[in-house]
Amino acid sequence: MAKASLQETTEGSMIYHGPTSIFNTDMGENPSTVNLPADLILSYEDRANYHNPTIRLCLALFFYWQYPQVMFIDREAFVQEFELNPIHSEFCSPPLIHAGCALGALMSPDANIRALAANFADSAENALVRQGLAIPKITSVQALLCCAYYEVGRGNLSKGWMYSGMAFRMGQDLGIQRDPTNWGRQAQSTAPYFFDDEFRRRIYWGCFLSDKYVYRKAKS
């Protein structure tokens, strides 16, 4: 029987395939390239959209007030890659930035900053739906979890539960529920930090706890 494997797609995303997956045979084909909307690409490529005082303030509020509840994000790796490359990196992405800002903005004593939370959440959710679901990434899992907590906090329990479930299923697609020693090969990374086995477990349990928490809120 073939071993489970972690395979790279044409977009650079790592997808987990179990030992009985058709993608471990000659019949399987790699997923085709996803063509993103031009307006979304232009928005993503502009770093000025991220390195501004409002974004920095909301992220600071997020990590100060919310981080103890979202330990599935590596704060040090996120901050370093946010400064170096907030667009194309392993621990930081535009949807995750916006999702974190949505939660952080809610903690501001300034009503004008709090009013931005909905816009940040909309940006994160739109990006995830239009791109994140087509190209599974760890940062998309983390952003979906943040969106789930945001929606629950706003009283949108069904929507929050849906995002939590999407995060869990995407995490399974990436293989975070499996022991990496059973993979056909180990994924390599050129990032300053790397998603080691321990951090993958943190993300998995973050998905598990989020799904249980949101379910209880939605069904209580």
Side-chain angles (χ1 to χ4, degrees), residues 53-216:
T54 301
I55 292 285
R56 292 182 183 276
L57 172 61
C58 290
L59 287 176
L61 290 168
F62 168 70
F63 282 113
Y64 185 84
W65 292 105
Q66 306 280 7
Y67 184 64
Q69 307 299 322
V70 293
M71 297 296 289
F72 48 81
I73 296 176
D74 189 315
R75 178 174 55 189
E76 288 71 24
F78 174 90
V79 170
Q80 177 167 328
E81 294 200 342
F82 172 78
E83 297 295 342
L84 296 176
N85 186 359
I87 302 171
H88 303 293
S89 60
E90 193 168 6
F91 285 83
C92 181
S93 70
L96 183 55
I97 292 171
H98 289 148
C101 285
L103 289 171
L106 293 176
M107 308 307 298
S108 175
D110 187 337
N112 293 326
I113 297 297
R114 292 197 303 273
L116 297 175
N119 291 333
F120 283 130
D122 287 343
S123 296
E125 293 168 7
N126 288 336
L128 288 167
V129 170
R130 297 173 70 183
Q131 180 202 26
L133 300 183
I135 309 174
K137 295 181 179 180
I138 289 292
T139 52
S140 295
V141 175
Q142 296 167 319
L144 284 166
L145 291 175
C146 288
C147 288
Y149 282 118
Y150 173 84
E151 294 297 344
V152 170
R154 304 298 290 178
N156 302 322
L157 301 181
S158 295
K159 191 175 182 181
W161 191 26
M162 183 179 297
Y163 282 135
S164 176
M166 291 165 66
F168 213 156
R169 302 315 179 268
M170 184 179 291
Q172 289 182 315
D173 194 27
L174 293 169
I176 62 173
Q177 80 282 10
R178 305 294 297 186
D179 184 351
T181 58
N182 294 326
W183 292 341
R185 66 180 178 86
Q186 293 290 335
Q188 299 297 321
S189 173
T190 58
Y193 297 85
F194 182 51
F195 283 109
D196 58 20
D197 295 351
E198 179 59 30
F199 193 66
R200 294 180 68 89
R201 295 186 184 98
R202 285 173 55 184
I203 298 174
Y204 170 78
W205 286 111
C207 290
F208 178 86
L209 294 174
S210 171
D211 204 45
K212 294 297 183 182
Y213 170 78
V214 176
Y215 172 80
R216 289 183 178 274

Side-chain angles (χ1 to χ4, degrees), residues 33-44:
T33 301
V34 177
N35 296 318
L36 303 179
D39 60 328
L40 187 60
I41 294 176
L42 291 175
S43 176
Y44 268 27

